[in-house]
Every structure is written in C-alpha cells, then in structure tokens.
Amino acid sequence: MPLDATAIIKVVIPAVSPALKPLFSNINSKINSALNPTDLEKALKAGIIAAKEWEEKQPHAQRLFYHCDDKTQIDVFSRFFTDTTVLQELQKPLQDNKTTPDLDLLIQIFKERISAENQKLKFPENSIENWLEKFVDTYFKKTSAYLKIKIDKEDYLKQIANYFDDVKFAGIAVEGQEVDKSAQLPQIFVMPDVVEDIRERNYEDKKDLALLEAIESTGISDHQVELIREQRQIGRLEKSTGKKFSAQNLLTESTSQKFVLLGAPGSGKTTLMSYFAVMLAQKQPEILGLAADTDLLPIIIKIRDLAKRAEHLSILDYIRQFASGNLQVKELPTGFFEYWLDDGRALILLDGLDEVANEAKRYEIVNQIEVFLSQYPQNRTIITSRPAGYRSVFFRTEEFPRYMLESFDDDKIEIFIKKWYESRFEDPQESQSRQESLRQALAEQKRIKELARNPLLLTIIALIHRYEAYLPRQRHKLYDRAVKTLLTNWDAGKELNYKFPCEYLHRDDIERLMQQLAYWIHTQGGTGDKEGGTLIDKEELIKQLKEFITEEKPIKPHQAKAEAERFIAHIQERAGLLNEQGQDCYAFVHKTFQEYLAAQEIKDRQEGDGDEVVLEHIEKYLHNPHWREVLLLLITQQHRKKSAKFLKHILEQETPYEQWLHRNFFFAASCLAEDLEVQDKNLVKQILQQLINLEISKNKQVGEKIRKQVFKTLCSLNKTQFEAQALQLLKDSAQHISEVQLQEYRVALGEKEEVTKMLLGRLTDDDSLVRRYAASALGKLGNASAEVVNALLGRLRDEDSEVRGFAAFALGNLGNASAEVVNALVGRLRDEDSVVRGDAALALGKLGNASAEVVNALLGRLTDEDFLVRRDAASALGKLGNASAEVVNALLGRLTDENSLVRRYAASALGKLGNTSAEVVNALLGRLTDENSLVRRYAASALGKLGNTSAEVVNALLGRLTDEDSWVHWYAASALGNLGKNSSDVAPAVSEWISQHQDSEYVGSGIDALWELVATDG
C-alpha cells in the first residue's frame, strides 16, 4: 500500500532543504526578498499532497507506486527532488511567475534517471505523467500565489506606513494661528517605559462599595452607576510591580508571545501600537529589539470598530475590510492574511479593549479574540486597554502577562522637547532656542510639568508653546489655551472648506456648551482614575445636550436631539476634546479638561447668580477629592477683591478633625500656590504664618504626616508672588528650624544656586564632619546637576567611611540612576565598612534600577554578616518592586532572621512587593505575634497593603488592637483602614482613640492614621 503524503513529506523536505540554500543564492534579488526556502517547501508539500490525493482516487493497479514498497518510494522521491536539473526547473516560477517547470523534462528525468538506477522498478502506464502533471500544476499555482502574496505585501506595508506614520494633530490648532503641520511618527515619537504588572485586583474593595452606595443615593441613573462601578471596581489595583524596561524591548522581554499592555488615557498606547506597525512596515525590526531579518506582518485591529461589526464579521473578515477600506490596499489575493497567520509570522495588535464599554459585550469580544488567537497560536499578540476597562479574568495571566505603560520621566520629556522642535524648525539655532524656552517653562512650573508626564498633554503643551513661544504661568490660563486649542477646527487653517455641521448652534456656542456638559458630567461621580474623565452613556449624553440646546435655542425637542447628535460628532471628529471611549460611551480625553470646564461653568453662573454659587460649592465639596481641582481652578480665577472672601469661607468651614489635620489651611495655601491674586495682605500673612507655626511647633499633636504636608505646601509657593514672603517668615523663625531644613526651604523658594554653591565648597573641607554634613545636605536639596552628582561620586572614595556613606545615601536621594552612579553604588556594596554597604543598598533601592546585576548584588547582602546591611538590603529589594520567586523566597527567609530589625524590614518589603500567596500571608500572620513589637507593627502594615480581606487576616489584625505596644494598635488600625478605607466605623474609631489619648506621646501617630483615612489634600 503506498505511503500517504504526510509520510513522504517528512522524508522529502529534510532531504531537499539543504539543496535550497544554493538555489536561493542564485535567484534574482527582487524575488529573493519576496520568497524564501520555507515558501518553496510549502509549495513542494502542496504539490505532493495534490498528486497523492489524485493518485489515491485511482484504481490500485494504475497508481504510480503500485509495485513499490515503502522504502523504495521514499528512496525514489528523495533522489528525484534532489536532482540538480529538477531543482533548476523548480526555480523557474520563482524567477518568472509566468514560467512553469518543464513537465516533459521532469517526466524524462523520472523515467531515465530514476528507472536507470533501479531497473527492476515498474510503473503503470501513464502513471508517471499523470502524477507529475498534478504535482507541477499545484506547485506552480502555489508558488505563483506565494509570490503574489509577497509582492502584494509590499503594497500592504506601504499603506500601513502611510496610514499610521503621518501624525496629524486633528483639531489641534492654536487659536488665531495656522494648523500645525503633520509629523512623521518617528520624528516626534518617544519610546516609553513599561513595567511588568503582577498586581491582583480586589473586587470587594469596601471603599468602592461605600462610594457606589453614596452615588446611588444621589439619584443618577442606574446605568451611570454601573459605568462608574466598571471604571472604579475593575480598575483598582493593589501595589506591586515587576521588572521595568523600555517598551522598545516588549517583544523580546515579555515572558510570552502574547501579552496585555495597560495604560492611562493619553499615555500613548495607540501611538505605541502605530509605531510598532510602522517600524515593521518600514522593515526596521531591529528598532523593536528583533533580529534584522525578522519578517513579521503587522495587523492592527481597532477593538472598538471590531465590536460594532462583530455580529456580522469574523475577526479575519474585519482585518480584510480594514485593509481594503481604511488602508485602501488594492485587492489582496485569497489567503493573504492566512498565509502569514498560519506561519506565525504576524504581529497582531488589538488596540483598545476598554473602548467596549458594555461589560457583557466586552466578554463576547474577549471570547472572539481567544477563538481567533487559538486558530493562529504561534503569532505575537499585544492587547491594549486602560486599567479601568480590564479584568484579569479576560485572559489568563499565565498566557497573557500584563505590562503597564509608565508616565514620562524627566528624560523622556527632554527627548520629546528635542524631537519636537527639531521637527518644527529647520534652523538649528531657532530650534535650540525654543527647546530651552520650553524646558525652562516646565522647570519653573512644577504642576504643569506633572501634566507633561502624560504624552497627550505634553503634545498639547508643546503645540501651545510652539505658537505662543511661552507657557502661561497660571494653570487655568494654560488650560484655557489648551481647550481653545482642541476646539479650534481644521477650517481655521488647512481645511478652509470645512462646513460647521450644526444647524442652530454657532461656533461661539461651542465652548459654552462644553462647559455645561463638563459640569453635568462631573456631577455624575468620579472614577478614582486621576487621568480618565467620567464615562457617560451616549443616550444620556444626547438627552442632556438636548436639554442644554433647548434652553439656548428656540427649537423643538426633536430638532434639539438631532442637533445634539451633530454636535457630538463634531466635537469628537473635529476637536478631539470629547472622545468615544467605548461602544456608545463618551468621556473627556483627559480629566483635566473636564475639571477645568466644570470650573468655568460655575464661574459663568457666578456672573449671573452672584458669589453665593461659589460659596455653596465650597461648602458642599471642600475636601471632596473628585472636586478638589475644580474648586482650585475656580477660586484661583477670582478677582483679587473677591478672593479673600472665598479664602475666609474656606477657613471657616467646620471640617471634621480640623483641630488635628488643618485641612482648611492647607487648601487655602494651595490656592495661594496657584498664584492667586489676594487684596487682603493680612489674610495671606495669616495663612502663611499658620504654616510656619506648624513647621516650628513642638506640640506632639503635630504628626509627621502633617509636618511633611507643611513642607510640601510651603515649597509649592516657589515662583509665586508669595515666595519671598514665605521664605522671609521662615528665616525669621530660623532659630526653631534645623539648618538642613532651612536650606531645603531656601532651595525650593528661590535660593537654590546660593545654597548649592556653598555646600559644594564644604564638600572638600578638611574637616570630615563638614564633608559629611555637606554630602547629606546636597542629597536633600534635589539638585541633580552633573556638577553635584560628580562631586558626590568623588566622595564615594573619601578616606572617611561616614563621608562615603553620606555620599552614597545622597546619590540615592537625588534620583540620578545613570550607569555611572549605579555601578559606583554597586561597588560600594562591597565596601569594608558595613555602614557604607548599608547606605549603598538603600541608595540603590531609591534609584529604582531593578536590573539583574543590582538585584543579585542586593540578594547577596541579605546574608551579610552585619544585620544592618541585611536590613538595608531587604528595604531596597522592597522598593525595587522585583517580585520574582527568588526575591520573595529570600525575603521570607529573612522573616526568621535572628535580628528583629531584619525581620521588620523583610515584612515591610513583602508588603510592598504585593505577592498575596498563602505562603507570604501565613508568614506575615506569624510575625503578628513576634516577640519584637516593631516586627508586629510592620507585619500588620504589610498585611494591610496586600489587600487580603479573609476572616483570618481581619481577625488577626483586630486582635492586635489590644497589643501591649500602643503603636501596634495604630499599625493594625491603619492596616484595617487600608483594607476598607472610608468604611462606616474605622474613622470614628480612630477619632475616639485620639480623644482618649490627647495627652499621650502617641497621639501624633493616631492623627497620622486619621490623616491617611480621610485627608485628600496634596
């Protein structure tokens, strides 16, 4: 019985493959770049299968190998397909896809050479001719098809590059200026960092449930409650992340070929996917960390669009329609995408899972994606989503590890500024001048720089600076420019023929209507997402807009509804301020714009209804975290004659726990930090003096958290009109403030250069005590200039070990994680002095470099002979966030260290790493009864961070409230607070405890706990 095709292929292909290399080296270079040996192997397989299938349909006596055994068949095929002349004939379709192999010649070779080598072989009449005819026909069709696929691939890649490489700032034009030109993606793209996300979600978070219960009582729609529940409950993540690396290496660093990429709104998820596609389309895989000869076909799927068509289209059909419709690729051959998918040579980019807002629909799409990926399991796949729209149950974490996009750090912002202006100006001097101007503006305005860590907002800031040549100092002015930027349409420049689609509204109505809309949306509740705006159902949005339009225009309800639909389409497509972020759901592109426009709406109402509307909002929302920015932006825009009135009203509010937490004063000071104009100078002095009084107070009711908030608040006055006044008040109280603390204030409030210069001089003083002090002080001032860093690196070799230790610690504080600094600190882990080793370990923990070299060096210090070094190494490992099994097991081992300090810091580190395994939880529960109270405290704290709300954990923490050590009471209460913040009984319980211990030395810690539970400032 003849062998089947599979058995023949298993022998023939390995025999033929070595002969393919010289064959392909002789092929025309154009074709060589299109087809490869794998394609030829596939065509050979297809030809053999087709011939064998035909043969099996023939009577046995007419089959080619009727008279041959299995061994002879294999020998015949191997000799035939490795024959030099046969291989030359097989080249013909590759050199010219119109030329078939010479069938008559192949028949002749088979009869003469194969038969001559084994004269005993007998073949039925016409069996050779029929078998080879079927083989050649199929082989030629397959090679032609593969060649067409490869040639059409070039058109597909060209269109991919055209579609995703041209970054148009749609709707982003600065008022009164030309629309900014588009840019090629690589010109302005900045590669973000990602961090492995090994966090688990706590779906029963009591804070969320309590908040949702409160929201439900406000009377908003059930559907909106569900949307908020979706954004909050799904998106809450407990602490702990894994390794951090550049997104450039995602495809090589990931532990799986398939993974999920999570990122906040505006963090650059879609841009990164576009960049990956463009780099592959432009045949630059090495930029993505891949080998230069990597041949991957990029396939981008917009999940939101897929969801709209999912009932009628399979994913494969959607991909085809996107290619022909959106990319406008000419007609692709049948099987084009299957060719790449079957081989595992595609990069599948599924963008925006969170944009399917309906949870049931999202599960359907997830199932559809899983089925599709299971059909083509060998392909690399990236799925993107906002954290608020992703559940860990969507895809198994073992198969789909998660990664989080990081915000831009200072280096990334710097790279963007450089690329931005180099792409905007051909003149190098003009480009450099603009770069320096934007750098300085961001350096002087820390709040705006924090916004610039979001790539979307950084782009808008850069566009404003591009045309204004400066950034407004006050945030509300910057937001005003940004909103006008986003609301300025293409017809302001390039698209002069664009017709405003609304029939009853005018262009002048847009911003006013957006203010009303933003305020209404803001009243629908917060999501806990600092960057994402509140998600609103499309039907509710249109309904509310219809009411606003009806109030403004004398038109009928059905006309107002149609106008609302036109307005939404215009804002989404032409302005980009309000985006569809799920199927039939909308939200502001960033929460900042929602907050600013809501503040503007209140301000507009103030003009008609008087100051009472502002006072009412202060009374209702002061210290409500969802309304904090709205109130700040509202108050800081007030006229200097009215601002004092509102500040006094803030200070007069009966805020819970005000006598301990001073939140009213902190909020009033935050208004001053916005450079608020205030006519009443005495009031300003009163607020500043209260902050100074808290700074110098020796009252034990002023806890550490309060002191830190005082420092942060006073420093936030830098570059404002109150800077000099605050610094002078501090200098007037210098005798009550440590020299180091005063120097930190001087640096923050305008005297940075003077202080830094003085300390650098002291760093080379003959007296080692002076050098120690100078190194320590420099580490606290936050000046990480090259001059300061180099000077401290020099002190790492100081003859005095304490100077070396202070220098190491200072470098950790400054946050410069350059290779030079990290390597120097790793070297100090082997210092002869144990104090230096410990300080170097702590510094490495602060710098956040979690490379294998650093982690391994710290793991080595966990067994140091000096317990203080073991302690510091444990602390550092906790901060680095590497929760590998090796690190976790090493720290578990330190929980039983002979020294209590080591046990304490090992417990703390495990809490930070977030490993919630039973082994870790049980080990920490065991430390709740440690003989040392400090260990018990930190075990309690760690359990609070892990988010395990089992009865065993909760009961164990409740048991510690009667611990013989009063501080363990606080740590246990704080842990319970973390497990259920803002629940109905925790804050009152802590408040009662404070009332009972007002004269106790521990009262400050109790107030700190209360601060953690209820405070929102800062």
Side-chain angles (χ1 to χ4, degrees):
M1 179 179 178
L3 290 176
D4 62 20
T6 302
I8 296 172
I9 289 167
K10 286 182 178 179
V11 177
V12 170
I13 295 302
V16 172
S17 293
L20 295 179
K21 291 184 179 178
L23 182 154
F24 271 83
S25 66
N26 296 324
I27 295 178
N28 174 298
S29 60
K30 178 182 177 181
I31 305 301
N32 188 32
S33 66
L35 290 182
N36 56 47
T38 302
D39 297 317
L40 183 54
E41 289 175 0
K42 289 165 67 176
L44 286 171
K45 291 177 183 177
I48 292 171
I49 290 171
K52 289 297 294 180
E53 287 177 348
W54 171 84
E55 183 184 24
E56 289 171 4
K57 295 177 182 178
Q58 308 308 309
H60 284 277
Q62 296 178 18
R63 295 180 183 181
L64 178 62
F65 291 104
Y66 176 67
H67 300 289
C68 301
D69 58 24
D70 292 353
K71 183 177 181 304
T72 302
Q73 290 186 54
I74 290 172
D75 180 61
V76 167
F77 276 121
S78 297
R79 285 187 285 116
F80 177 75
F81 282 109
T82 55
D83 183 274
T84 303
T85 305
V86 171
L87 287 171
Q88 289 173 349
E89 286 299 310
L90 295 176
Q91 292 184 43
K92 286 182 178 179
L94 310 183
Q95 296 169 328
D96 178 0
N97 67 345
K98 295 180 182 179
T99 304
T100 65
D102 189 328
L103 177 61
D104 292 336
L105 179 58
L106 293 179
I107 293 171
Q108 180 184 345
I109 292 170
F110 196 98
K111 286 182 175 181
E112 294 180 356
R113 298 186 188 178
I114 303 303
S115 299
E117 292 178 14
N118 193 339
Q119 297 180 0
K120 294 181 180 180
L121 282 178
K122 294 181 180 180
F123 298 100
E125 185 177 1
N126 296 326
S127 62
I128 295 174
E129 290 85 351
N130 292 334
W131 199 98
L132 288 175
E133 183 180 3
K134 290 295 179 184
F135 167 80
V136 169
D137 182 59
T138 302
Y139 171 81
F140 175 70
K141 288 178 180 177
K142 286 294 181 181
T143 53
S144 297
Y146 294 155
L147 186 58
K148 185 172 185 347
I149 283 173
K150 290 298 185 74
I151 292 172
D152 286 346
K153 174 197 175 189
E154 299 306 311
D155 178 53
Y156 173 82
L157 294 180
K158 179 181 177 182
Q159 295 305 106
I160 282 276
N162 289 340
Y163 190 85
F164 293 104
D165 187 30
D166 191 23
V167 183
K168 291 182 172 65
F169 306 109
I172 303 181
V174 176
E175 185 185 29
Q177 301 288 347
E178 61 176 305
V179 173
D180 207 322
K181 65 180 181 180
S182 63
Q184 298 301 301
L185 181 56
Q187 287 183 314
I188 61 171
F189 180 75
V190 177
M191 187 67 71
D193 288 331
V194 296
V195 63
E196 185 180 13
D197 179 8
I198 55 177
R199 300 177 284 189
E200 293 299 328
R201 291 159 177 77
N202 175 12
Y203 297 109
E204 301 302 325
D205 190 288
K206 295 180 182 178
K207 180 178 180 180
D208 281 341
L209 296 177
L211 175 68
L212 287 165
E213 288 173 2
I215 290 173
E216 289 169 349
S217 67
T218 63
I220 65 175
S221 71
D222 291 341
H223 183 64
Q224 184 57 33
V225 171
E226 285 304 309
L227 289 178
I228 294 174
R229 183 188 299 274
E230 175 77 3
Q231 284 185 293
R232 287 189 62 85
Q233 217 171 335
I234 293 176
R236 286 190 70 82
L237 299 171
E238 299 299 337
K239 286 188 177 181
S240 181
T241 52
K243 64 181 178 180
K244 178 180 176 179
F245 54 91
S246 171
Q248 179 179 5
N249 300 317
L250 261 172
L251 297 176
T252 54
E253 286 284 343
S254 174
T255 56
S256 170
Q257 287 209 121
K258 303 176 182 65
F259 53 88
V260 175
L261 182 64
L262 303 174
S267 61
K269 299 182 295 296
T270 298
T271 303
L272 182 63
M273 295 302 93
S274 298
Y275 185 79
F276 273 37
V278 170
M279 290 303 99
L280 291 178
Q282 294 180 351
K283 299 180 181 177
Q284 300 183 66
E286 63 275 12
I287 290 180
L288 305 180
L290 301 170
D293 61 350
T294 301
D295 185 21
L296 290 177
L297 187 81
I299 298 175
I300 290 190
I301 299 171
K302 300 290 186 183
I303 298 179
R304 178 181 65 193
D305 295 340
L306 171 66
K308 292 178 179 178
R309 310 180 197 181
E311 293 181 7
H312 311 290
L313 290 178
S314 68
I315 290 182
L316 202 52
D317 288 336
Y318 169 82
I319 293 169
R320 294 190 187 102
Q321 286 201 8
F322 183 83
S324 60
N326 297 68
L327 300 180
Q328 297 183 339
V329 176
K330 63 185 180 183
E331 185 176 356
L332 294 170
T334 302
F336 175 82
F337 289 106
E338 292 92 325
Y339 170 85
W340 302 97
L341 291 165
D342 285 335
D343 271 5
R345 287 191 287 158
L347 174 61
I348 304 170
L349 304 168
L350 291 142
D351 189 35
L353 182 60
D354 60 285
E355 295 182 12
V356 184
N358 180 275
E359 187 174 358
K361 183 66 175 178
R362 199 179 310 160
Y363 272 104
E364 291 178 16
I365 292 297
V366 166
N367 290 334
Q368 190 175 3
I369 290 171
E370 283 190 317
V371 170
F372 174 70
L373 295 181
S374 67
Q375 292 176 315
Y376 307 103
Q378 298 178 337
N379 294 283
R380 300 169 191 260
T381 303
I382 305 176
I383 303 170
T384 74
S385 175
R386 289 170 58 186
Y390 187 78
R391 286 186 185 272
S392 58
V393 295
F394 283 161
F395 299 98
R396 287 172 55 86
T397 305
E398 298 80 7
E399 299 175 20
F400 290 82
R402 300 189 301 264
Y403 298 89
M404 290 284 293
L405 269 177
E406 294 274 272
S407 298
F408 277 3
D409 57 19
D410 289 353
D411 290 339
K412 296 287 191 296
I413 293 174
E414 169 61 29
I415 294 169
F416 178 89
I417 292 172
K418 186 173 186 296
K419 283 192 166 191
W420 174 262
Y421 272 120
E422 284 181 350
S423 71
R424 303 293 95 181
F425 292 100
E426 294 181 2
D427 182 356
Q429 289 186 337
E430 178 67 16
S431 169
Q432 190 61 40
S433 173
R434 292 297 187 100
Q435 289 178 45
E436 187 54 41
S437 173
L438 182 51
R439 280 190 206 101
Q440 185 174 352
L442 292 176
E444 292 176 351
Q445 302 176 65
K446 292 182 180 179
R447 288 174 181 260
I448 294 175
K449 187 168 185 177
E450 285 306 307
L451 292 179
R453 301 197 184 284
N454 179 283
L456 170 66
L457 296 184
L458 175 56
T459 303
I460 295 172
I461 289 169
L463 277 164
I464 294 170
H465 187 268
R466 157 82 168 90
Y467 286 116
E468 304 282 352
Y470 78 101
L471 291 181
R473 288 205 54 79
Q474 294 173 303
R475 283 194 303 151
H476 68 86
K477 292 181 180 178
L478 176 69
Y479 297 163
D480 177 66
R481 304 303 295 144
V483 167
K484 285 182 169 57
T485 293
L486 285 168
L487 290 177
T488 301
N489 300 300
W490 274 106
D491 53 319
K494 189 187 320 188
E495 295 188 23
L496 295 174
N497 60 343
Y498 172 70
K499 186 176 183 293
F500 186 61
C502 295
E503 295 182 15
Y504 308 103
L505 296 170
H506 303 293
R507 297 179 194 278
D508 293 342
D509 297 322
I510 296 177
E511 190 167 351
R512 169 68 182 143
L513 199 56
M514 291 303 296
Q515 290 174 192
Q516 292 177 299
L517 194 60
Y519 181 84
W520 172 75
I521 290 176
H522 205 73
T523 62
Q524 302 306 294
T527 68
D529 186 342
K530 292 182 179 179
E531 298 187 357
T534 304
L535 203 61
I536 298 295
D537 181 79
K538 184 177 181 179
E539 289 185 9
E540 291 186 56
L541 186 64
I542 291 174
K543 178 182 177 183
Q544 194 63 39
L545 268 172
K546 184 184 76 171
E547 293 182 12
F548 292 150
I549 293 170
T550 304
E551 291 173 2
E552 297 285 335
K553 307 292 179 181
I555 57 178
K556 296 179 180 179
H558 74 276
Q559 295 173 316
K561 181 180 179 183
E563 188 77 335
E565 292 172 345
R566 289 188 287 267
F567 180 80
I568 289 175
H570 169 76
I571 293 300
Q572 178 191 351
E573 296 172 11
R574 311 300 299 189
L577 186 58
L578 191 72
N579 283 349
E580 188 176 9
Q581 295 187 5
Q583 191 171 13
D584 295 329
C585 286
Y586 289 78
F588 277 91
V589 67
H590 197 279
K591 191 175 182 181
T592 292
F593 301 120
Q594 177 179 309
E595 292 166 333
Y596 167 74
L597 287 167
Q600 295 308 103
E601 170 63 13
I602 301 170
K603 190 168 180 291
D604 278 359
R605 294 184 187 182
Q606 179 188 4
E607 292 179 5
D609 301 337
D611 296 344
E612 193 62 31
V613 68
V614 178
L615 298 175
E616 288 174 358
H617 279 81
I618 291 173
E619 293 167 6
K620 188 174 182 180
Y621 297 119
L622 186 63
H623 307 311
N624 180 327
H626 182 56
W627 286 86
R628 174 181 169 80
E629 284 296 302
V630 175
L631 292 181
L632 272 177
L633 293 168
L634 172 64
I635 293 168
T636 53
Q637 294 183 68
Q638 299 299 320
H639 188 275
R640 59 198 305 268
K641 291 183 179 180
K642 290 188 176 183
S643 57
K645 175 181 180 180
F646 299 127
L647 287 177
K648 288 177 181 177
H649 197 64
I650 290 169
L651 296 175
E652 292 167 356
Q653 293 305 296
E654 294 183 4
T655 301
Y657 323 119
E658 183 62 18
Q659 73 271 32
W660 297 319
L661 302 183
H662 315 282
R663 289 189 292 166
N664 293 348
F665 269 103
F666 284 131
F667 189 89
S670 295
C671 295
L672 297 183
E674 297 286 338
D675 222 3
L676 176 67
E677 295 285 342
V678 185
Q679 188 176 41
D680 188 342
K681 303 303 179 185
N682 288 329
L683 179 60
V684 171
K685 186 175 181 180
Q686 176 191 346
I687 295 170
L688 296 178
Q689 190 60 59
Q690 174 65 11
L691 291 172
I692 304 298
N693 292 342
L694 289 171
E695 167 63 42
I696 65 176
S697 174
K698 304 302 181 185
N699 191 325
K700 54 194 172 185
Q701 292 192 16
V702 179
E704 187 62 28
K705 294 287 184 181
I706 305 297
R707 294 187 187 280
K708 287 182 178 179
Q709 188 63 33
V710 169
F711 180 79
K712 181 180 178 180
T713 303
L714 283 169
C715 290
S716 70
L717 298 172
N718 70 314
K719 302 295 181 181
T720 69
Q721 59 186 300
F722 311 109
E723 178 182 64
Q725 184 179 359
L727 182 58
Q728 188 57 53
L729 288 171
L730 285 163
K731 288 181 176 179
D732 292 342
S733 301
Q735 69 273 25
H736 303 296
I737 305 173
S738 71
E739 183 180 358
V740 172
Q741 183 87 334
L742 184 58
Q743 285 176 351
E744 291 177 15
Y745 277 124
R746 288 179 61 195
V747 168
L749 298 174
E751 295 185 357
K752 183 176 183 178
E753 291 185 9
E754 296 93 323
V755 174
T756 301
K757 184 177 180 180
M758 178 267 291
L759 290 173
L760 284 172
R762 292 185 180 181
L763 205 56
T764 55
D765 194 277
D766 292 338
D767 190 333
S768 62
L769 288 173
V770 176
R771 299 200 300 277
R772 294 176 200 172
Y773 164 78
S776 175
L778 283 168
K780 295 178 180 179
L781 299 186
N783 184 338
S785 66
E787 183 181 15
V788 171
V789 170
N790 289 335
L792 289 170
L793 284 171
R795 289 305 97 198
L796 284 180
R797 299 184 296 274
D798 196 283
E799 60 184 15
D800 185 278
S801 62
E802 290 197 40
V803 175
R804 299 199 298 274
F806 278 116
F809 198 78
L811 285 165
N813 284 338
L814 291 182
N816 182 319
S818 66
E820 184 180 12
V821 172
V822 171
N823 291 337
L825 290 170
V826 169
R828 287 304 98 197
L829 286 177
R830 299 185 296 274
D831 195 282
E832 61 184 13
D833 190 290
S834 62
V835 173
V836 179
R837 298 198 298 273
D839 286 337
L842 292 174
L844 287 166
K846 290 181 179 180
L847 292 182
N849 183 317
S851 65
E853 181 185 10
V854 172
V855 170
N856 289 335
L858 289 170
L859 284 171
R861 291 304 98 201
L862 278 181
T863 55
D864 195 281
E865 61 184 3
D866 190 306
F867 72 88
L868 291 174
V869 179
R870 300 198 298 274
R871 173 201 67 182
D872 295 339
S875 175
L877 286 166
K879 291 177 180 177
L880 290 184
N882 183 320
S884 66
E886 185 179 12
V887 172
V888 170
N889 289 335
L891 289 169
L892 283 171
R894 289 305 98 198
L895 280 182
T896 56
D897 193 281
E898 62 184 4
N899 186 274
S900 61
L901 274 177
V902 179
R903 299 198 299 273
R904 165 189 168 186
Y905 279 87
S908 177
L910 287 166
K912 292 175 182 176
L913 292 183
N915 183 312
T916 58
S917 66
E919 184 180 12
V920 172
V921 171
N922 289 335
L924 290 170
L925 285 171
R927 289 306 99 198
L928 282 180
T929 56
D930 193 281
E931 62 183 4
N932 186 280
S933 62
L934 285 171
V935 178
R936 300 198 297 274
R937 296 175 200 174
Y938 280 83
S941 176
L943 286 165
K945 292 176 181 177
L946 292 183
N948 183 317
T949 56
S950 67
E952 184 180 12
V953 171
V954 172
N955 289 334
L957 289 169
L958 288 171
R960 287 305 98 197
L961 292 178
T962 58
D963 193 281
E964 62 184 19
D965 186 313
S966 297
W967 276 32
V968 176
H969 301 170
W970 175 72
Y971 276 87
S974 180
L976 289 166
N978 283 333
L979 294 179
K981 278 193 171 183
N982 290 349
S983 62
S984 60
D985 55 359
V986 175
V990 175
S991 172
E992 182 180 354
W993 186 91
I994 294 172
S995 298
Q996 295 172 354
H997 296 80
Q998 289 200 48
D999 297 326
S1000 166
E1001 61 179 309
Y1002 305 121
V1003 67
S1005 297
I1007 294 173
D1008 283 346
L1010 190 62
W1011 175 273
E1012 290 286 354
L1013 287 167
V1014 303
T1016 61
D1017 292 72

